[in-house]
Amino acid sequence: MPATTAKVIAIASQKGGSGKTTLAVHIATKAAQAGFESCVVDTDPQATAASWSDWRGDFLPVVVTSPPARLARTITSAQKNGVDFVVIDTPPHADAAAREAIKAADLVLIPTKPRAFDLAALEPVADLVTYANTPAFVVLNSVPAGATVLAGEAQEAAKDIGLKICPVQLGDRAAFHRSSAKGETASESEPDGKAAKEIDKLWKWLSKELKKIG
Ligand SMILES: Nc1ncnc2c1ncn2[C@@H]1O[C@H](COP(=O)(O)OP(=O)(O)OP(=O)(O)O)[C@@H](O)[C@H]1O
Ligand SMILES: [Mg+2]
């Protein structure tokens, strides 16, 4: 268990473009709307979450960048400034960064597209969460409309390597990339849309899981 009082969620997956940053900014924004002092710690040298924050301007959540090696210190210092909910965004293809994030986290979310090559890339992150003994859930992302068989197969594949599955999936929805490009979230730009509803459900589920952890 990390030595922090803030809730810390790590978003990790070695596969590029699986939805890490999208998930990170949506969850951190939901947390802010729920009354948390929430913060995204962007450990990706691409700094995509930080760019999103630049486009967003002066609205919550705060996004700070941190090299993975300084992650623990960055979280401690955020906490000293009143942050009580941290979402760590991680780079693709970077075991060390993912390891540091998983070590600092209370819970790990692993977004993946439900495609064979993407699922094959879950193994390294599965090993990391098993080693760290941190609760972790695969979040199926960009699931095409009506792809129940594909989603079912993806769930089986994740289970086979010992990963738990988040019961809420995110569909392949333009609202996710349209909103991100404006420094917003889907819930803000299209509040009545399906993407917003999925994020609502995801947040409710996540809140319950965090309560279980205590
Ligand atoms: N559910 C979704 N529906 C439609 N588009 C999505 C969805 N999730 C993510 N995207 C889009 O897919 C692209 C990649 O998403 P994102 O940047 O969140 O992935 P990432 O895992 O952070 O990538 P990287 O590994 O490069 O950091 C972005 O253009 C994003 O807007
Ligand atoms: Mg990213």
Side-chain angles (χ1 to χ4, degrees):
M1 178 63 72
T4 63
T5 52
K7 296 288 180 207
V8 182
I9 312 290
I11 317 282
S13 130
Q14 264 75 347
K15 187 82 184 173
S18 61
K20 294 177 286 299
T21 303
T22 302
L23 202 52
V25 301
H26 278 78
I27 287 173
T29 303
K30 271 281 165 198
Q33 288 163 352
F36 287 100
E37 287 297 321
S38 92
C39 170
V40 176
V41 178
D42 187 356
T43 63
D44 185 352
Q46 296 176 106
T48 314
S51 301
W52 174 83
S53 178
D54 293 342
W55 303 326
R56 187 172 179 78
D58 248 353
F59 297 99
L60 290 172
V62 171
V63 178
V64 296
T65 54
S66 172
R70 290 194 53 85
L71 182 58
R73 267 171 284 195
T74 303
I75 293 174
T76 306
S77 128
Q79 278 198 133
K80 281 187 189 147
N81 289 313
V83 167
D84 56 5
F85 198 103
V86 175
V87 183
I88 308 166
D89 190 15
T90 60
H93 319 296
D95 268 7
R99 189 180 304 112
E100 287 306 316
I102 289 166
K103 203 162 76 183
D106 298 298
L107 188 145
V108 183
L109 296 178
I110 307 162
T112 181
K113 291 181 186 167
R115 308 279 193 284
F117 288 153
D118 299 79
L119 295 163
L122 292 177
E123 286 218 48
V125 80
D127 290 345
L128 291 177
V129 295
T130 306
Y131 182 74
N133 200 20
T134 309
F137 295 86
V138 171
V139 181
L140 294 184
N141 185 32
S142 286
V143 180
T148 42
V149 173
L150 193 64
E153 284 171 3
Q155 291 186 339
E156 283 308 310
K159 264 189 212 151
D160 284 349
I161 52 170
L163 288 173
K164 284 189 273 185
I165 316 287
C166 166
V168 184
Q169 300 174 8
L170 304 180
D172 183 5
R173 308 205 183 281
F176 284 113
H177 56 80
R178 273 203 298 255
S179 58
S180 295
K182 293 189 285 181
E184 293 180 345
T185 63
S187 320
E188 291 163 334
S189 62
E190 300 177 37
D192 299 323
K194 288 183 177 163
K197 289 202 174 71
E198 288 169 345
I199 291 295
D200 268 353
K201 277 167 77 179
L202 184 69
W203 172 252
K204 282 188 187 122
W205 167 82
L206 180 62
S207 304
K208 280 192 194 142
E209 287 300 323
L210 287 171
K211 276 194 192 118
K212 282 188 207 166
I213 294 167

